[in-house]
Every structure is written in C-alpha cells, then in structure tokens.
Amino acid sequence: MSYLIISFSHKNTDISMREKLAFGSDEDKDRFLRSLLDYENTKEAVVLSTCNRVEIITRSSNINGSSKDILSKLAKYSSLDFDELYDRADIYDNNGAIHHLFSVASALDSLVIGETQIVGQLKDAFRFSQSKQYCSSNVTRAMHFAFKCAAAVRNATSLGTGSVSVASTAVAKAKELVGDTKGVKALVIGAGEMSELTIKHLISSGFDVILTSRDKKKAQILADTFDANIDVQDYSQLSQLLKETKVMVTATAAPYPIITEDIVSPTSYERYWFDIAVPRDIDDIEMSNLDIYAVDDLQDIVNENMSLRAEQAKTAYSIVSKMSIEFFDWLKSLEIEPIIKNLYLKGNEVIDKKVDNAIKKGFINPEDEENIRKLCQTVITEYLHTPSQQLKDISRNMECDVVVGTIQNMFGLSDDSAVFDSFKCEHLDKK
C-alpha cells in the first residue's frame, strides 16, 4: 500500500480548468469520494478543493491503476478530456506524496507562499472524509504529521505574517491602483471566510466597506463581528452597488457567474473588480473604465512577495524534508512496537504454561510460584532487551519489512493491527 496524491493547482492549470475541477458542494464531494472507493485499488480518500487547487489524497494498492481510475472519474465529473487531465496532473506516490502533502499544508505550494488559510482548508477536507468514514488510520497518520509540519514551519519562519492570502493580495493590489483610499467605497459580495478576510484587509487599508450577500442575515452577522461600520445592503441592489463603488471583491460559492454584462452599467470613472472565487463569479465582460482581476491575475504581486520570502521558504522546505523522513521512520516504528510487545507476550505465555505444569507435577511448591514467575519474567526481559533495541534500530532501515515478516513467521506472532487503528490525529482540533 502506498500514498498517492493527484494534484491540480495554479502551477499546472489555468483558472478555467480549475473551476471545472472544483467541488462546489459537499454533495458533489461526497459522491465523488464514494465513487473512488468503489474501485478495488483505492482504499482511503480525501478531496481538498480550494480556489487554487484540487488535491486527491489517497492510499492505494496499485498506483497506476488508482491514478487512471481517479483521473477517469475527474474527467467525467468535470467534462474535461482524460488525456488532457493526465498530461497536466502532478502525480505523487509514497515519499513524493508525503513531501507534497506537507508542502501544501505548510503553504509552500500556494499561489501566495505562506498564506494562512490552506491548513484550515486541509483540516476541513480531512474532517469531511473522516465523518463519512472515507479515510482511516493510514491517512490519519499522514494528516497528523502534515499539521504538525505546518505548525513547525509557522513557528520557525515568518511566512505566516504580512500579505499572505489571496484576499489580502487583492486588497493590496486595489490599494496600489486607487492610491488614497480615504472615502473610497469597496463592495464585498459574499459572507463566507474569504469575504471576512477581505473585509479585514479593506478596513485595515482605509476603505469604506459595503457588504452584500444573498443571505442578508448572514451578512449582517458577519458585519457585526467588526468594530468598524460595515454597510450591509440588499442583494437585490447589486446592479446599483456595482455602479456606485470603485472597488469590488467577490468571493461567493456560486457554481456559475453571478455578475453578467446585463447587470453592469458603464461609468465615467475607473472601477477595479477582484474575482477571488473559483468557479469565477464574474462573467467575461468587456467595458471601458472597468478592470477585472481573477485569481491568476494576482500573480505579479505574489511574485514581488516571493523574493522577500525566499530565505524563509528555504528554511521551511528544509523542515518539510526533515519531517517527511521522520514520518516514514515513525511509520516503521509503529510496525516494530507490536512485534516487540508480542515477543514479550509470547515469553509470558511460555512462563505461565511451564510454571503451571511444574506445579501440577510437584516440581515447584505452590508457595514459591510468585517468586519463580518474577524470576522467569526477569530472564525474559533481559534476554529480549538487546533484540528489542536492535529491532528499533532496524525500523529506520529499508529492509524493515523483510525483517518484520521474518520475525513474525519465526515466532508465530500476530499482526497487531488494532494498535494502528486506534491512532487519532491530535492536531485536528487545533486552529
């Protein structure tokens, strides 16, 4: 069994392809995951779908078979050509998959290096699969270390500070275009997490914020979380709001464009619209005095940040590489611990059997039984001490699997898989 990740991101696809691959609802994700696990080769699965990436994270008994199965399902879901998906996909297995997962969790593979949202999005994706029982101990272990790695990167670097999200990058670009933001109105469409981040950065940059959403109650609740005055407007006024505001940021979860040319009026002044939703919220609109920026258009400002973050990213990647190695060492140690435990249990079974027989045959006085058992257990402990230490050392070597199988056969030991299945990710509930 190997870890397998199939990745589509800003690195290998444009936004038009990513919006077709994106999973807009939990129902879509649920159906897709269920269909993947119908295949014999794929045993566990998690789907991470954000504005910049779609990651299929699995455990597989056949990398080639699973890859083709997954890409076939993606082609059917997205109505994209299988060959095109196959050519563009980044496919990672085992060591490469774990290194990629840790890089994604640590925001090193993001459009904006160090952006703070990705680890929360990965946790949400993992929770969803766990709640549906689409993943178990193997993926849980990988996620545990991924979140641990992300925390280590955050603590060791300053990558998580400053303008490090798509929302903050959009606002930074808007401020650059507008210049003096005093008295400038900025419209935010949507009342989700990205809208919350956008509002925070708009307020910080000095914009006057107007908020609208199909769910006005939800929009008002969001507005009330800020100390600044947020003007909540009816969604029915969208066309007029678009005409009156100079800056607009939209980040809804709509599966189709909500802003089409028929609701947009021309103006005599420049307007700057930022569409940070995938699928896109803004249709293809050509109009004078209107500049529209999608996620991919923010790359310039991201590249400026990259040069400042290069050294920090170098440190972060060294942490990812180190923890990837530690992860596989840890997995091997998990295989060894049950072996050592069973060797001691086997020894105790022999002690029980031989002491009981000796008492029945009169070789041992019943009153001496406790002391004799203690003596035998001391002998077993001392006898197995060196082999136990050597087994722990072997767990770090490539031949570990062969040694484990040989010892299990030699001593007739069981595979204590219950130890593995009881594992719980301690980082899951940490924000």
Side-chain angles (χ1 to χ4, degrees):
M1 291 291 289
S2 299
Y3 290 100
L4 167 68
I5 296 179
I6 295 181
S7 172
F8 295 94
S9 71
H10 63 282
K11 292 183 175 181
N12 58 10
T13 56
D14 58 20
I15 192 169
S16 62
M17 178 174 279
R18 293 202 305 276
E19 63 189 3
K20 290 175 183 174
L21 289 167
F23 290 84
S25 68
D26 286 347
E27 290 76 15
D28 288 341
K29 194 188 299 184
D30 187 27
R31 279 192 296 270
F32 183 78
L33 284 166
R34 208 163 48 235
S35 69
L36 287 189
L37 296 175
D38 286 340
Y39 289 118
E40 184 180 350
N41 296 324
T42 307
K43 306 301 180 184
E44 302 177 51
V46 172
V47 169
L48 171 65
S49 180
T50 74
C51 61
N52 283 319
R53 66 180 60 253
V54 171
E55 307 275 347
I56 314 298
I57 304 160
T58 71
R59 279 279 286 181
S60 169
S61 58
N62 183 316
I63 294 297
N64 289 333
S66 283
S67 297
K68 290 177 181 177
D69 292 341
I70 292 167
L71 289 169
S72 294
K73 286 291 183 185
L74 273 176
K76 183 178 179 181
Y77 168 76
S78 63
S79 299
L80 292 168
D81 182 68
F82 172 87
D83 290 333
E84 184 178 10
L85 288 177
Y86 187 82
D87 289 341
R88 287 182 177 271
D90 287 328
I91 301 175
Y92 304 92
D93 71 306
N94 234 33
N95 294 52
I98 292 302
H99 190 277
H100 177 70
L101 176 64
F102 290 6
S103 298
V104 169
S106 302
L108 296 177
D109 196 63
S110 297
L111 175 69
V112 183
I113 299 295
E115 57 102 350
T116 52
Q117 285 72 53
I118 187 64
V119 69
Q121 292 166 334
L122 184 59
K123 285 182 179 182
D124 288 342
F126 176 43
R127 284 192 191 98
F128 182 82
S129 277
Q130 261 201 333
S131 69
K132 301 288 184 177
Q133 298 184 326
Y134 295 150
C135 62
S136 54
S137 59
N138 291 297
V139 166
T140 297
R141 292 186 204 126
M143 290 295 183
H144 161 81
F145 249 75
F147 301 141
K148 185 178 176 182
C149 182
V153 168
R154 280 197 307 273
N155 291 334
T157 71
S158 59
L159 287 175
T161 60
S163 179
V164 291
S165 69
V166 175
S168 62
T169 302
V171 173
K173 186 67 175 176
K175 187 175 181 180
E176 175 191 319
L177 293 166
V178 170
D180 184 6
T181 61
K182 186 176 181 180
V184 177
K185 294 179 180 179
L187 172 66
V188 177
I189 305 174
E193 182 182 355
M194 290 297 282
S195 295
E196 180 179 1
L197 284 168
T198 301
I199 293 170
K200 181 179 76 172
H201 291 291
L202 285 169
I203 292 171
S204 160
S205 296
F207 287 95
D208 293 338
V209 180
I210 301 170
L211 175 63
T212 190
S213 169
R214 290 185 189 278
D215 188 339
K216 189 175 181 180
K217 183 179 179 181
K218 187 177 179 181
Q220 189 62 59
I221 291 171
L222 174 58
D224 290 342
T225 63
F226 293 94
D227 292 332
N229 180 43
I230 308 296
D231 183 11
V232 178
Q233 292 288 331
D234 287 331
Y235 189 79
S236 61
Q237 300 299 311
L238 180 59
S239 180
Q240 187 64 28
L241 292 170
L242 291 172
K243 186 177 180 180
E244 293 174 352
T245 50
K246 195 166 187 176
V247 172
M248 185 274 287
V249 184
T250 180
T252 77
Y256 50 80
I258 60 170
I259 300 173
T260 53
E261 196 162 4
D262 60 298
I263 68 166
V264 180
S265 303
T267 59
S268 59
Y269 56 86
E270 284 285 342
R271 285 176 295 177
Y272 308 104
W273 291 357
F274 296 86
D275 188 348
I276 59 176
V278 177
R280 284 171 289 184
D281 282 340
I282 306 175
D283 208 352
D284 293 327
I285 300 173
E286 294 288 341
M287 191 172 290
S288 60
N289 296 329
L290 176 60
D291 294 332
I292 300 173
Y293 297 85
V295 169
D296 289 358
D297 298 318
L298 300 173
Q299 189 67 54
D300 288 343
I301 194 168
V302 170
N303 289 340
E304 291 173 15
N305 286 335
M306 278 292 290
S307 61
L308 300 174
R309 297 170 181 275
E311 279 304 311
Q312 294 290 309
K314 192 175 178 182
T315 300
Y317 271 116
S318 69
I319 293 171
V320 168
S321 296
K322 179 173 176 284
M323 293 199 69
S324 296
I325 294 169
E326 286 181 8
F327 172 70
F328 284 103
D329 286 346
W330 178 63
L331 281 189
K332 293 299 183 185
S333 73
L334 288 181
E335 295 178 18
I336 292 297
E337 290 298 335
I339 299 295
I340 295 172
K341 185 190 79 171
N342 282 327
L343 283 173
Y344 280 94
L345 289 174
K346 199 80 172 177
N348 286 331
E349 287 175 8
V350 173
I351 291 171
D352 289 342
K353 182 179 177 182
K354 294 302 180 181
V355 170
D356 288 344
N357 284 341
I359 292 173
K360 286 179 183 177
K361 293 179 179 180
F363 299 151
I364 296 175
N365 293 323
E367 58 269 23
D368 295 328
E369 178 183 352
E370 184 177 350
N371 289 332
I372 290 172
R373 283 184 185 278
K374 286 180 180 179
L375 175 62
C376 291
Q377 285 168 347
T378 301
V379 171
I380 288 291
T381 300
E382 187 168 337
Y383 178 68
L384 290 178
H385 175 73
T386 299
S388 296
Q389 291 303 311
Q390 289 179 334
L391 276 173
K392 289 178 181 178
D393 291 338
I394 288 170
S395 72
R396 300 182 181 90
N397 299 331
M398 293 297 291
E399 64 268 21
C400 175
D401 291 338
V402 175
V403 174
V404 166
T406 301
I407 291 174
Q408 284 177 324
N409 289 333
M410 284 176 59
F411 289 91
L413 304 178
S414 62
D415 179 8
D416 196 355
S417 59
V419 173
F420 300 160
D421 292 332
S422 65
F423 183 76
K424 181 180 183 294
C425 177
E426 65 190 54
H427 292 267
L428 186 58
D429 296 325
K430 296 179 182 178
K431 297 297 181 183

